[in-house]
């Protein structure tokens, strides 16, 4: 009984820390980026409207110098060499904003924007599912009930969502790389040509799928043990 109370307190603390970390992360990271992006989008739209039929889109891609030399910046000390691992470009094209091309804000491709939204929704769903799993575990220990079978499906879904988010991010970056290659073809920059898959996210997704199978096996063994008794 004492051990169950201790486990319940531990899960409750994890649940609290999870939401505190989530809130702090949103306030410290997401909110400033969203505000800056919103401000930049507003300024871009104002500038484009002021220039008439001009539309702006952005390209972000990993790059390197073909010559191996660094970037020259006025005032930079002589003993410092500056290199660029990633570059962000703002490209203006002679087009009027329409509902169709307004979604082509990333790499001049609507699919890149769609993939970024799918990736964001996948990670949001993962956060919600993790909160539901922690809360379910807490209730199971509090009510002295076995682990609910719904958590197995939730864990599998988390793994699938993480893998899907990794693929969406990779294809989004690949679209940006293709556009950056076209724009920087006649410059000293060389764009990375490898498929930009985040293998760490793939490993994490596979681990969640493995975890779901372990939970399922543990639950089945527990049920068989009860039937035997």
């Amino acid at each position: 009984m004492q051990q169950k109370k201790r486990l319940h307190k531990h899960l409750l603390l994890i649940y609290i820390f999870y939401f505190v970390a989530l809130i702090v992360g949103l306030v410290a990271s997401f909110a400033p980026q969203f505000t800056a992006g919103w401000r930049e989008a507003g300024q871009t739209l104002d500038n484009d409207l002021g220039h008439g039929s001009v539309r702006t889109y952005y390209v972000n891609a990993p790059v390197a110098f073909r010559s191996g030399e660094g970037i020259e910046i006025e005032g930079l000390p002589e003993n410092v060499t500056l290199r660029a691992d990633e570059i962000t470009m703002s490209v203006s094209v002679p087009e009027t904003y329409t509902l169709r091309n307004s979604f082509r804000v990333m790499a001049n491709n609507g699919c890149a924007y769609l993939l970024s939204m799918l990736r964001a929704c996948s990670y949001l769903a993962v956060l919600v599912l993790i909160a539901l799993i922690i809360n379910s575990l807490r209730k199971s220990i509090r009510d002295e009930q076995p682990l609910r079978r719904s958590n197995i499906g939730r864990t599998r879904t988390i793994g699938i969502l993480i893998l899907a988010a990794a693929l969406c991010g990779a294809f989004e970056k690949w679209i940006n790389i293709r556009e950056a290659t076209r724009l920087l073809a006649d410059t000293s920059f060389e764009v990375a040509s490898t498929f930009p898959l985040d293998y760490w996210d793939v490993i994490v997704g596979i681990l969640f799928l493995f975890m779901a199978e372990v939970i399922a096996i543990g639950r089945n063994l527990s049920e068989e043990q009860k039937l035997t008794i």
Side-chain angles (χ1 to χ4, degrees):
M1 189 59 148
Q2 196 71 23
Q3 184 179 3
K4 288 183 178 179
K5 287 184 178 179
R6 186 162 54 250
L7 285 173
H8 181 260
K9 289 181 180 178
H10 288 171
L11 284 173
L12 181 60
L13 285 174
I14 292 173
Y15 198 57
I16 293 172
F17 287 148
Y18 175 77
F19 278 102
V20 170
L22 188 60
I23 293 171
V24 171
L26 288 174
V27 172
S29 178
F30 178 76
Q33 291 179 3
F34 179 81
T35 303
W38 184 270
R39 188 186 307 112
E40 185 176 352
Q43 291 175 353
T44 300
L45 185 59
D46 291 340
N47 291 335
D48 291 347
L49 291 175
H51 287 85
S53 300
V54 177
R55 180 178 63 86
T56 302
Y57 66 91
Y58 298 91
V59 182
N60 194 329
V63 296
F65 277 96
R66 288 193 177 93
S67 60
E69 298 178 356
I71 301 174
E72 295 182 2
I73 297 180
E74 186 178 353
L76 191 69
E78 294 181 358
N79 62 334
V80 177
T81 302
L82 187 62
R83 299 184 182 276
D85 294 325
E86 195 171 81
I87 190 170
T88 299
M89 294 176 284
S90 174
V91 185
S92 298
V93 291
E95 292 181 1
T96 304
Y97 270 102
T98 62
L99 181 61
R100 184 176 180 179
N101 64 24
S102 61
F103 292 100
R104 295 165 59 186
V105 68
M106 300 176 63
N108 200 26
N109 192 307
C111 290
Y113 180 81
L114 177 61
L115 289 169
S116 68
M117 291 297 102
L118 289 175
R119 184 164 57 95
C121 290
S122 297
Y123 283 126
L124 180 60
V126 167
L127 295 176
V128 173
L129 288 171
I130 290 176
L132 291 175
I133 290 174
I134 296 174
N135 189 48
S136 177
L137 289 173
R138 186 177 62 85
K139 287 182 179 179
S140 296
I141 294 175
R142 182 194 62 191
D143 301 335
E144 298 184 359
Q145 296 293 326
L147 186 65
R148 297 178 182 178
R149 187 172 292 274
S150 59
N151 289 324
I152 300 172
R154 288 169 181 168
T155 307
R156 286 196 184 109
T157 304
I158 289 174
I160 293 171
L161 286 172
I162 292 176
L163 291 175
L167 288 175
C168 287
F171 280 109
E172 177 193 340
K173 291 177 182 177
W174 181 67
I175 293 172
N176 275 269
I177 287 173
R178 287 185 59 190
E179 181 66 11
T181 302
R182 184 184 69 83
L183 294 172
L184 300 175
D186 299 327
T187 67
S188 59
F189 283 99
E190 183 177 3
V191 182
S193 58
T194 57
F195 188 69
L197 182 62
D198 191 337
Y199 292 99
W200 176 250
D201 283 350
V202 173
I203 292 173
V204 172
I206 294 173
L207 285 176
F208 268 98
L209 293 176
F210 176 74
M211 191 187 307
E213 298 307 317
V214 171
I215 296 172
I217 293 172
R219 181 180 173 83
N220 291 335
L221 290 175
S222 177
E223 290 177 350
E224 291 176 2
Q225 187 178 9
K226 286 183 180 181
L227 291 173
T228 303
I229 295 173

